[in-house]
Amino acid sequence: MAEAYIIDAVRTPRGVGKPGKGALSHLHPQHLAATVLKAIKDRNNLDTSTVDDIIWSTSSQVGKQGGDLGRMSALAAGYDITASGTTLDRFCGGGITSVNLAAATVMSGMEDCVIAGGTEMMSFTSAYGAEQANAGIKPLGMGSGNPALDAIHPQSHQGVCGDAIAALEGITRHELDALALVSQERADRAIREGRFDKSLVTVYNEDGTVALDHEEFPRPETTAEGLASLKASFDGVADFDLGNGSTFRKQILRRYPDLEFKGVHHAGNSSGVVDGAAALLITSPEYAEKHGLKPRGRIVAYANQGDDPTLMLNAPVPAAKKVLEKAGLKVEDIDHWEINEAFAVVAEKFIRDLDLDRTKVNPNGGAMALGHPIGATGSMLIGTTLDELERTGGRYGLVTMCAAGGMAPAIIIERI
């Protein structure tokens, strides 16, 4: 089987995902995706007529985020019309899956140059969700939306699932807050030391002025006392009447009837709501040599894993074990780990279950500090891993994340 090289990885800064308040919130999602696609083209002097495909991830493919963002954004970025594009949805995991599928098409020998990435403008999707709710339409995330499926596999709200997992695992709010504080401290250090600079590209407005050139979400002033003072976010959500005599709490208790749990997650130890986009250039070795491109990394292995949809967030550990087995590697072989901080309990459980060296896990902070632009996050984390392996001289990096429906994609990359 052929190898798949990572030639380059770029991303936008993450902007606060609030309508009218975030620095990117006024832009069209295609503009954000076109920014990183143009950067990939310009930085690598890429002849876009040689791009076989663009595989993009967007979780909420509605409104202006619908209509195949991969293809439309490539056209907006000035790509040759022969460069086709497609858009996928694996909820939070899509940004890893887009890279995995790009690697698969190259490793199969069917294609030689594929760009993978993702975009999510949560400033748009949050406003869209509010409009839907006001219209009486059931928001996404309230169970599966399918009563027949929920009768077989009850699915709750992700935040409520995080609280339930913390109770099942005996993880306290104090421990979750401690991890959130570490995330803020590490992100602040990474930003001050320029650890993200290699991949970060400025987003410009249509008139050429700067929209955003730095991370907008982090709160370096965060303290343990401040985190402890925040009100739990999901107690009220857990008991929200779904209109069929059920609640999110009851969905979980149907499977775990003896479980008692309360809110331990809040705005400070959950992932931030942000806007952002990322892209990676994946090629065959033959394409790289022919076009004078120097590879930065290679795809070693990837895997997909499903787990209990009722708890929803626990698939990253089995996904990591699966991809390690595929790669013929052990935990101690991995120099850099990225586990998306969807909620603090996800990262804390991951570290404990795999008995990881905490200094190797999210060393530059995670989504609690930087934010989680759903469909783009996985691609961002792969780029961050590549940058960190180059900075430290490490060899292998593993990236994984939970996704709605009880899933987790995973990938291992090697620095070249």
Side-chain angles (χ1 to χ4, degrees):
M1 184 174 291
E3 290 190 328
Y5 282 166
I6 303 175
I7 304 299
D8 202 7
V10 301
R11 69 172 179 87
T12 68
R14 297 170 177 90
V16 171
K18 293 183 178 181
K21 295 182 179 180
L24 302 176
S25 63
H26 63 290
L27 297 172
H28 197 286
Q30 290 174 14
H31 181 87
L32 211 59
T35 295
V36 290
L37 287 170
K38 188 174 186 302
I40 282 285
K41 173 171 67 79
D42 293 346
R43 284 167 46 135
N44 298 283
N45 194 27
L46 182 65
D47 177 358
T48 58
S49 70
T50 66
V51 174
D52 292 309
D53 205 5
I54 295 150
I55 303 177
W56 216 247
S57 162
T58 304
S59 183
S60 296
Q61 295 182 37
V62 294
K64 61 184 180 180
Q65 280 201 167
D68 191 356
L69 217 56
R71 171 62 170 175
M72 296 303 120
S73 301
L75 294 174
Y79 275 45
D80 193 275
I81 59 171
T82 59
S84 64
T86 188
T87 304
L88 60 87
D89 174 13
R90 199 194 290 273
F91 301 117
C92 297
I96 295 178
T97 295
S98 65
V99 176
N100 290 350
L101 291 178
T105 61
V106 170
M107 294 168 77
S108 71
M110 297 302 292
E111 293 181 330
D112 290 299
C113 178
V114 183
I115 297 173
T119 302
E120 203 81 42
M121 295 203 66
M122 299 183 75
S123 57
F124 161 69
T125 57
S126 60
Y128 183 86
E131 291 175 2
Q132 296 290 94
N134 289 336
I137 300 172
K138 186 178 181 182
L140 294 173
M142 291 192 174
S144 71
N146 179 346
L149 176 57
D150 284 337
I152 305 170
H153 295 295
Q155 297 180 51
S156 186
H157 183 283
Q158 289 190 346
V160 179
C161 291
D163 290 343
I165 292 168
L168 283 166
E169 298 292 327
I171 300 173
T172 67
R173 170 165 170 167
H174 176 75
E175 291 168 323
L176 299 177
D177 284 355
L179 189 64
L181 183 59
V182 168
S183 184
Q184 291 285 354
E185 292 171 345
R186 289 179 174 181
D188 180 49
R189 179 185 63 196
I191 292 167
R192 286 187 287 103
E193 294 181 359
R195 296 186 186 184
F196 299 138
D197 291 356
K198 188 170 187 176
S199 294
L200 210 63
V201 296
T202 299
V203 180
Y204 293 93
N205 293 309
E206 295 287 357
D207 63 4
T209 60
V210 172
L212 188 64
D213 61 1
H214 64 279
E215 298 290 350
E216 191 177 28
F217 188 79
R219 300 177 177 87
E221 71 280 3
T222 299
T223 64
E225 294 76 17
L227 290 170
S229 71
L230 294 176
K231 182 180 179 182
S233 297
F234 303 111
D235 277 334
V237 176
D239 298 311
F240 179 81
D241 184 0
L242 298 177
N244 56 2
S246 185
T247 66
F248 291 131
R249 188 186 304 277
K250 288 179 180 179
Q251 295 284 64
I252 291 173
L253 294 179
R254 285 170 55 194
R255 291 286 304 278
Y256 303 90
D258 299 325
L259 180 64
E260 295 182 6
F261 65 96
K262 62 180 181 179
V264 291
H265 288 92
H266 50 74
N269 63 19
S270 304
S271 55
V273 176
V274 295
D275 300 330
L280 293 93
L281 176 58
I282 312 294
T283 77
S284 66
E286 294 76 16
Y287 180 97
E289 182 177 3
K290 179 180 178 179
H291 293 272
L293 298 172
K294 183 178 179 181
R296 297 174 58 192
R298 75 177 184 95
I299 312 295
V300 178
Y302 67 83
N304 298 296
Q305 183 71 47
D307 200 79
D308 181 3
T310 297
L311 291 178
M312 203 174 296
L313 311 177
N314 282 341
V317 170
K321 291 179 178 179
K322 185 176 182 179
V323 77
L324 284 168
E325 183 177 356
K326 283 178 175 287
L329 297 172
K330 299 178 180 179
V331 166
E332 51 266 31
D333 294 321
I334 304 300
D335 301 297
H336 179 93
W337 299 80
E338 287 286 338
I339 169 67
N340 186 44
E341 296 171 351
F343 301 94
V345 75
V346 176
E348 183 64 27
K349 184 180 187 307
F350 188 82
I351 292 168
R352 294 185 184 194
D353 286 0
L354 295 174
D355 192 24
L356 300 181
D357 178 348
R358 288 177 179 268
T359 65
K360 294 182 178 181
V361 183
N362 300 355
N364 296 320
M368 290 186 288
L370 295 162
H372 174 27
I374 311 294
T377 303
S379 297
M380 288 184 170
L381 296 185
I382 296 170
T384 295
T385 298
L386 184 58
D387 287 345
E388 186 66 7
L389 290 174
E390 291 176 339
R391 188 186 73 83
T392 62
R395 183 176 181 181
Y396 293 115
L398 189 154
V399 184
T400 187
M401 59 202 306
C402 61
M407 298 184 291
I411 185 172
I412 294 175
I413 68 171
E414 179 182 16
R415 177 181 63 89
I416 295 179

